[in-house]
Amino acid sequence: MIAWIKRLILLGVVAGAGFYGFQSLRAAGFQFRWERNDGGGRAADPTFARVARQVTVADTSSRTSEAAGAVTVGESAASAEGDHGRPAGVVTTVVEAPMVTDAELPPPGSGPSARIDFETIADGQPCVPCPVGEEWASRGLRVSFRSWTAESTSPYVLDGSEYLPPGSSRHALGPSLKGEVGLEVGVIRLDFPGRPRTVSFSLFGPAIIRRFDITAWSGGAILESAVARAAGRTYDPAGRGLFREELITVRAESGIDRISLDGWGPPGHILLVDDVIIIP
């Protein structure tokens, strides 16, 4: 018994010394790779800086909370029912607005209804892993990827069996994939040329991330209260640690032009998108 007590004391001392050493390194400026903007060894370059910018918040003050989709995870339905939107303002963001002007925008709801499950691409054939972009443009969806540590511009359709919950579809849209480097961190962008009023999809990521960062846009303005979240499953895919599913719905009578899904962090993390439903 005495020997075991001595071992526990020794382990406590070692753990304390390790924690103190780690804190000392952090105080001296140590950062994990995903906390740096230089790509973990890449020379610092303004090209890869995550530039903050100011953008307008869409004015939803004349719309009902149902149209704005104001209910979010952590808010009660009662509080949302009393929210009739917010006046226009200015916020600071690091994600990018769609490069469109009012003159270029078609009327809201001018595109088709669609459901996209990423099981196949435009020709009906599976493609995994496969970079994608315009494959579903005729159905009202364009996708792209923005990374501040890589030159990737295309997200990938991935085999989701190691990330998705049991019983779900096999394939999903994820971040860019680069050879031995693996999955990149960055922002998956969903663009909607038909400007639908409602978009919903399933979003999957590590449960340790308290809140998945989602930004919806109408033209160049952020739809600040348009994203509704419903909790889905929490699961452990292939022993990788807990993942969480969220069921996302975005509503805006002014039309939805872009939804940005930011996995940059810190910490950088994977996000997977499945079952996109577009309603004009």
Side-chain angles (χ1 to χ4, degrees), residues 43-64:
D45 184 338
T47 303
F48 297 96
R50 204 172 181 218
V51 180
R53 57 186 63 80
Q54 289 189 329
V55 298
T56 302
V57 174
D59 187 352
T60 59
S61 57
S62 63
R63 306 188 187 104
T64 65

Side-chain angles (χ1 to χ4, degrees), residues 56-130:
T56 302
V57 174
D59 187 352
T60 59
S61 57
S62 63
R63 306 188 187 104
T64 65
S65 60
E66 179 181 0
V71 180
T72 60
V73 169
E75 294 180 356
S76 67
S79 66
E81 288 171 0
D83 179 7
H84 293 285
R86 304 182 185 182
V90 176
V91 299
T92 300
T93 182
V94 292
V95 292
E96 296 170 330
M99 297 296 124
V100 294
T101 65
D102 290 341
E104 297 172 329
L105 293 174
S110 57
S113 298
R115 177 168 184 164
I116 301 169
D117 59 12
F118 303 107
E119 293 303 301
T120 62
I121 55 176
D123 60 3
Q125 298 297 316
C127 181
V128 179
C130 184

Side-chain angles (χ1 to χ4, degrees), residues 107-115 139-140 192 194-199 250-256 277-280:
S110 57
S113 298
R115 177 168 184 164
R139 301 177 65 186
F192 304 94
R195 312 195 69 224
R197 296 181 177 91
T198 302
V199 174
V250 181
R251 295 188 181 95
E253 290 300 313
S254 59
I256 302 163
I277 300 174
I278 302 170
I279 302 175

Side-chain angles (χ1 to χ4, degrees), residues 158-184:
L158 303 170
D159 183 344
S161 58
E162 295 185 353
Y163 301 100
L164 300 179
S168 60
S169 60
R170 181 178 178 184
H171 302 145
L173 181 72
S176 184
L177 177 65
K178 185 177 181 181
E180 296 180 357
V181 175
L183 295 173
E184 303 280 4

